[in-house]
Amino acid sequence: SILAHALGPSRPPSASASAAARRATALRAAEPAEELDRMFFDRAELFVRSGAGGVGAVSMNGQRPVGGNGGAGGDVVLLCDGSLNTLGHLRGRASVRGDRGDDARGKESGRSAREAIVRVPPNCRVSELESGDAVGELREPGERLLIAAGGQGGEGNGDGYRRTRDSRRNYPPGGSTRARLLLSMTLVADVGLIGHPNAGKSTLLRAATRARPKVADYPFTTLVPNLGVCEGGGGAMLWLDIPGLLEGAHEGRGLGRAFLRHVERCRLLLHLVDGESAEPAAEYLAINRELQLYSPRLAATPQVVLVSKAELPHVAERINETVAAIRAVAPHGRILPFSAHSGLNVQQ
């Protein structure tokens, strides 16, 4: 199929649909994008503070020091949970704090605090909020990442007495560790569907996989990414449909940066061009310009260009002209008209 080769081995809308279209258009076009990001749940800011260590005791048994040690403070740990697929559960949760270790009592050492666990979905990146420096990444369920170590417990005088005379000194308890973090997740898929709003991406996803995204005859139907599994001769491939991209997507307009994050790891991009477009080549170039401005690496991902809505008579009449216009500006010849409704070239 053309997909494997690239990898290198209508009805008029109802009144309610029109109203939904207007609401969606206003939502996606509104600024700033940070406000819209709240509905996306793929990023979360988190303040973490580990627990401080407990204080060691000073206690004597006759002439012999016997004071116990303080307990260690609680760590803050991220745990990858395969049952999660968003960071929505962290919205509104401003901070996570580890417990303080117990102080020693006489010769009895204090109890160490339990770790504080924050569950995150797979493919979650962790970075420092202010500097942007990477802290780590959790990809597979069960993986753990220590993000704030608890303070060690303070030494009592009994522990110091047990060492050699030259090193007898009681150590104070360790303090807590603080960090402001940005958590971001990406959906890892083999194939990403990109294009302008209403180009037919969700319709193709429904036709090629068992996914059931919302489909309608107006722009901005898709407001969050959708995943589907496509079974083919080369095995199963995970497809990712992201909402339509607007001019200025690389700067965050219409949640563009949030959407583009999810196709960065795709091995192949299916670039859908609306067969009804009056300027198909210009639309093709506009999307690729946004990819280049966002990430040259993403722009270099192999693409297959699909011209949608080929079942419509007025599209079919000039389909050769449309394909030729795109071929004149594309750096490859992987261009194919298709129809999700009639099945034309869907299996290809």
Side-chain angles (χ1 to χ4, degrees), residues 325-338:
I326 299 173
R327 194 183 303 276
V329 296
H332 58 80
R334 298 184 296 271
I335 306 169
L336 190 70
F338 84 99

Side-chain angles (χ1 to χ4, degrees), residues 69-134:
N69 297 332
D75 299 334
V76 180
V77 176
L78 296 184
L79 174 64
C80 187
D81 187 339
S83 67
L84 298 176
N85 55 19
T86 75
L87 292 167
H89 63 292
L90 296 179
R91 291 289 181 175
R93 187 179 181 184
S95 64
V96 176
R97 301 168 187 263
D99 292 334
R100 182 179 180 275
D102 290 344
D103 295 337
R105 295 184 177 182
K107 65 179 181 180
E108 182 181 347
S109 293
R111 183 175 57 182
S112 294
R114 291 185 298 179
E115 62 187 9
I117 297 178
V118 181
R119 299 181 181 275
V120 298
N123 303 302
C124 180
R125 297 175 179 175
V126 186
S127 58
E128 294 183 2
L129 181 61
E130 295 182 359
S131 68
D133 293 341

Side-chain angles (χ1 to χ4, degrees), residues 151-219:
Q152 66 178 15
E155 280 190 337
N157 63 343
D159 202 47
Y161 180 80
R162 286 188 287 272
R163 293 196 300 270
T164 63
R165 183 178 299 275
D166 291 340
S167 61
R168 288 182 187 174
R169 181 172 67 87
N170 294 339
Y171 290 90
S176 60
T177 302
R178 306 182 185 192
R180 293 188 180 275
L181 304 174
L182 174 64
L183 311 183
S184 59
M185 59 165 290
T186 55
L187 300 171
V188 178
D190 301 298
V191 178
L193 278 63
I194 61 173
H196 279 84
N198 207 32
K201 301 181 297 300
S202 297
T203 304
L204 175 60
L205 187 69
R206 289 175 65 97
T209 74
R210 294 183 179 180
R212 290 296 175 262
K214 182 179 179 181
V215 173
D217 294 330
Y218 54 81

